[in-house]
Amino acid sequence: MNYTRPKADAVIVGLGWAGSLMAEELTRAGLNVVVIERGAWEQTQTNFSPAIAADELRYGVRREILKPPRIEALTFRNSSDQKALPARDQNIFMMGNSVGGAGKHWAANAWRFNPSDFEMETRLRERYHNMKLADGLIVQDWGVTYDELEPFYDRVEKIAGISGKAGVINGVKQQGGNPFEGNRTSEYPTPPLIRSHWNDIYHKVTEKMGYHPFPIPGGTIGAAYTNPLGVNLAPCTYCGFCGLYGCGNWSKSSPNACVIPALMDRNNLTMLTECTVLRVNKADDGKTVTGVTFLDSDGNTGFQPAGIVCVSAYQLDNVRLLLLSEIGTAYDPATGKGTLGRAYNYQTMINAFLYFENEQMNPYISTGALSTQIDDYNGDNFDHTGLGFLGGAGIQALSDQGTPLSLADRVPPGTKLWGSKWKKAYQQSYQNFGKIQGQGTSYSHRDSYLSLDPNYKDANGQPLMRMTFDYNENDKRMANFIRDRMEEICKNSGAKSWEIVSIPDKHNSPYTPYDSSHTIGGAVMGLDPKTSVLNRYQQHWDAHNLFVLGASSFPNNAGYNPTITLSALTLWTAHAIVNEYLKNPGSLVG
């Protein structure tokens, strides 16, 4: 059966961080809003109570909280001359499968990007005088600056109750914070988490080496807190079950805990759950969109007309929905023409595994954002002259989990992985293991892009997303540089032995190890429609009432997690819609 719902002022596709924040802004402004979410309805107090949430087999191993491949797979290849094949198991892209999206099970590393991350094309031209880089690298500005986003970063942090220590407030450096961060107008709303023993070791070692360690900002709450929406949040209990888990203690920032409770009393909000949006519908003139077509849980096809359409699903889903809707021109790597699917980028990771003796790390007292980091080699915080690459990495000591099944392979290289020798080695390593992670930048390449797969379809008969990706030469040069810095830290750490793995050197696919779920770009924002899908307000160049929110907008990835930046961009866009677009519908860039 086909049916049409009453027209709404706005329809929002996806109810994660971006969707929930946009819904809060638009409903508060008085708009009649419909949210369509593919997953089921879930609430913090019922679905993730402490009695059931700490189940490593259920969530850490079987990954029950994630979208399973049977619902929708992704196909992958390294280059255009290969046939892409579908990923049939739980891959590293941790897509949400219910209300709250990926914001429900994230590890809650809550970063702002650096000012330079938004303007690297300008930096390349002005600071480095267009120095020679790897062939085919894509470097372009976002069209929005850090200073423009700062008020929205500030509001997101207050809504989420982020814990941390500011490094720069109103131009003044703060003791104990990150001296390289962009200028802030206020301190974090809750204090930083208490450092673990491994964090303490790392802090002392890196400080002695002349670096600037600081506690990372976290969506794991540092103290009892009431956010601006009137929602009460509780301090983190360091239970050890964070990334891949929902938090029933109201201690982890998530849409379910921080935003959605405030939406429940708003009569101008309607939520449609277990409904899959199939396409965004274009108007006959092709210059605007009229709403979205969706498949409901009964197998019926519905149409939700709306004056404004906001697509705010997972990054890959955003790009796929635009491709399926034929809104914009798909990128052709052979000619370089088209923008949709272009500028896909990822995250470049380097991991060090250290083994100590008699340290009693107590890893079970942990949380997803319990880390100490140095930013001396992140982004453009250091001089890249003569290095032949752009970007860098935040180098952090993680105390993010102590779950025994997930750490079972953390034994020194050469250890047998079964029997009494493995048991003895694991018993020793569990209390004496430390991890250093280099979470690096990523710049796209002309040969890395997203497209629709001509060979594989989903249960609804629609083509799957196809990813064409390989680590490029810039990734590899940067990773090797950071690897050498991490080697120096390991040598000074007091560890008995260690192993460092540079992912771009060891793998040409992001599917072999878990390194990052931070998949970026494909429908990027910018100042030129020849190189971007969206303008600086995340408004589609080809349809002025279509806005696309999320990490799909990022032309490049920073050496940080993307969640707080995509949330700040959502508020930036919402502010433009409420204060400018509603008064005069049309392009916001004139």
Side-chain angles (χ1 to χ4, degrees):
M1 181 181 77
N2 296 331
Y3 63 95
T4 298
R5 288 180 46 80
K7 186 175 181 179
D9 294 323
V11 61
I12 299 172
V13 181
L15 194 59
W17 270 115
S20 63
L21 288 168
M22 180 59 75
E24 196 283 320
E25 291 282 329
L26 296 186
T27 54
R28 184 156 45 84
L31 274 67
N32 178 31
V33 177
V34 174
V35 177
I36 303 179
E37 165 60 45
R38 174 165 52 187
W41 172 254
E42 288 187 338
Q43 291 179 291
T44 297
Q45 63 269 31
T46 55
N47 294 89
F48 300 104
S49 73
I52 63 172
D55 186 334
E56 187 183 4
L57 183 61
R58 181 177 179 180
Y59 297 112
V61 177
R62 295 173 178 166
R63 301 194 173 188
E64 186 175 303
I65 204 170
L66 305 184
K67 183 182 76 175
R70 69 176 179 272
I71 292 180
E72 184 181 286
L74 170 78
T75 70
F76 178 83
R77 60 184 181 176
N78 289 125
S79 60
S80 297
D81 59 353
Q82 298 174 338
K83 178 181 178 180
L85 297 175
R88 296 298 190 189
D89 59 0
Q90 290 282 12
N91 60 64
I92 62 172
F93 302 128
M94 297 181 177
M95 303 184 195
N97 194 36
S98 58
V99 167
K104 188 168 64 267
H105 60 257
W106 69 317
N109 288 236
W111 295 98
R112 298 182 179 197
F113 281 16
N114 275 349
S116 62
D117 293 317
F118 299 98
E119 301 177 285
M120 278 309 297
E121 182 182 13
T122 298
R123 286 268 183 143
L124 178 61
R125 182 177 64 254
E126 295 180 355
R127 184 178 185 184
Y128 299 113
H129 309 291
N130 293 315
M131 70 176 181
K132 178 66 176 176
L133 297 174
D135 185 50
L137 200 68
I138 296 174
V139 183
Q140 60 190 67
D141 292 347
W142 295 40
V144 63
T145 67
Y146 173 89
D147 288 342
E148 289 174 311
L149 284 182
E150 201 285 329
F152 305 100
Y153 270 130
D154 185 73
R155 179 160 175 80
V156 169
E157 290 171 348
K158 287 179 168 57
I159 290 173
I162 302 302
S163 61
K165 180 69 187 77
V168 183
I169 300 179
N170 295 324
V172 180
K173 291 187 177 181
Q174 308 293 308
Q175 183 68 31
N178 178 10
F180 299 100
E181 72 175 354
N183 187 52
R184 302 170 54 88
T185 52
S186 67
E187 182 59 87
Y188 285 99
T190 66
L193 301 178
I194 300 170
R195 290 200 304 253
S196 68
H197 181 42
W198 171 224
N199 288 171
D200 278 333
I201 293 173
Y202 185 82
H203 185 102
K204 293 174 184 176
V205 168
T206 53
E207 190 171 53
K208 187 175 181 180
M209 294 175 69
Y211 297 135
H212 304 84
F214 59 93
I216 75 166
T220 38
I221 313 302
Y225 176 72
T226 301
N227 78 4
L229 305 182
V231 180
N232 296 322
L233 303 173
C236 180
T237 61
Y238 305 85
C239 73
F241 296 87
C242 203
L244 293 176
Y245 301 86
C247 178
N249 197 47
W250 299 85
S251 299
K252 183 170 75 169
S253 309
S254 71
N256 308 66
C258 301
V259 185
I260 294 174
L263 297 176
M264 293 299 94
D265 293 332
R266 298 190 181 175
N267 295 327
N268 55 340
L269 176 71
T270 301
M271 294 187 188
L272 305 180
T273 59
E274 300 181 65
C275 295
T276 301
V277 173
L278 301 175
R279 64 182 174 275
V280 178
N281 297 74
K282 293 189 290 187
D284 292 338
D285 63 6
K287 297 180 180 180
T288 56
V289 294
T290 59
V292 299
T293 297
F294 64 93
L295 187 69
D296 68 21
S297 58
D298 294 323
N300 300 316
T301 301
F303 174 62
Q304 176 61 63
I308 296 172
V309 175
C310 296
V311 177
S312 58
Y314 194 81
Q315 175 266 345
L316 295 169
D317 292 327
N318 282 354
V319 180
R320 179 172 182 251
L321 186 57
L322 293 178
L323 287 165
L324 291 172
S325 305
E326 298 182 348
I327 300 175
T329 303
Y331 173 65
D332 182 351
T335 64
K337 296 181 179 180
T339 57
L340 183 53
R342 176 186 176 273
Y344 171 73
N345 53 104
Y346 182 46
Q347 188 129 65
T348 313
M349 305 294 290
I350 312 94
N351 295 319
F353 308 103
L354 300 86
Y355 302 94
F356 295 81
E357 286 190 348
N358 304 317
E359 284 293 350
Q360 294 295 311
M361 297 292 190
N362 293 337
Y364 51 86
I365 306 172
S366 64
T367 186
L370 185 57
S371 299
T372 296
Q373 175 155 314
I374 60 170
D375 257 4
D376 299 68
Y377 295 109
N378 207 346
D380 201 34
N381 294 342
F382 61 105
D383 189 356
H384 290 70
T385 302
L387 296 179
F389 67 85
L390 287 178
I395 305 175
Q396 62 179 203
L398 279 76
S399 293
D400 60 342
Q401 63 175 349
T403 45
L405 296 178
S406 302
L407 292 177
D409 61 344
R410 292 276 68 89
V411 290
T415 303
K416 289 187 176 182
L417 298 182
W418 68 91
S420 59
K421 291 185 178 180
W422 170 80
K423 291 179 182 178
K424 183 177 180 180
Y426 183 43
Q427 184 179 28
Q428 164 70 15
S429 296
Y430 183 80
Q431 280 285 12
N432 290 281
F433 165 75
K435 180 179 178 181
I436 300 175
Q437 176 178 274
Q439 181 171 230
T441 55
S442 173
Y443 294 90
S444 186
H445 191 273
R446 66 188 177 201
D447 295 332
S448 292
Y449 62 101
L450 301 173
S451 57
L452 295 178
D453 196 297
N455 301 306
Y456 294 94
K457 297 181 178 180
D458 65 12
N460 300 317
Q462 294 185 302
L464 297 182
M465 172 67 77
R466 178 176 62 183
M467 178 185 293
T468 304
F469 174 81
D470 198 355
Y471 292 103
N472 60 58
E473 187 61 29
N474 192 82
D475 297 331
K476 295 176 181 178
R477 293 174 187 174
M478 185 277 290
N480 287 335
F481 178 87
I482 296 297
R483 187 190 191 284
D484 290 344
R485 308 289 82 73
M486 291 170 62
E487 180 76 27
E488 295 169 358
I489 295 172
C490 290
K491 288 178 179 178
N492 285 276
S493 68
K496 182 180 179 181
S497 63
W498 59 87
E499 176 187 17
I500 303 180
V501 179
S502 174
I503 303 298
D505 280 347
K506 192 170 184 180
H507 304 283
N508 62 351
S509 161
Y511 280 88
T512 304
Y514 172 73
D515 42 323
S516 170
S517 60
H518 304 150
T519 175
I520 306 294
V524 306
M525 59 193 298
L527 296 174
D528 187 348
K530 294 180 180 179
T531 57
S532 59
V533 174
L534 315 172
N535 66 26
R536 68 192 300 261
Y537 295 102
Q538 298 184 99
Q539 180 185 42
H540 204 289
W541 286 110
D542 297 341
H544 66 73
N545 63 335
L546 174 60
F547 297 84
V548 184
L549 317 171
S552 51
S553 300
F554 297 9
N556 55 274
N557 201 6
Y560 304 111
N561 305 59
T563 304
I564 297 300
T565 294
L566 70 87
S567 298
L569 280 169
T570 296
L571 295 185
W572 157 261
T573 297
H575 184 269
I577 292 174
V578 171
N579 292 280
E580 298 180 44
Y581 183 83
L582 293 178
K583 298 175 183 177
N584 185 25
S587 175
L588 289 167
V589 296

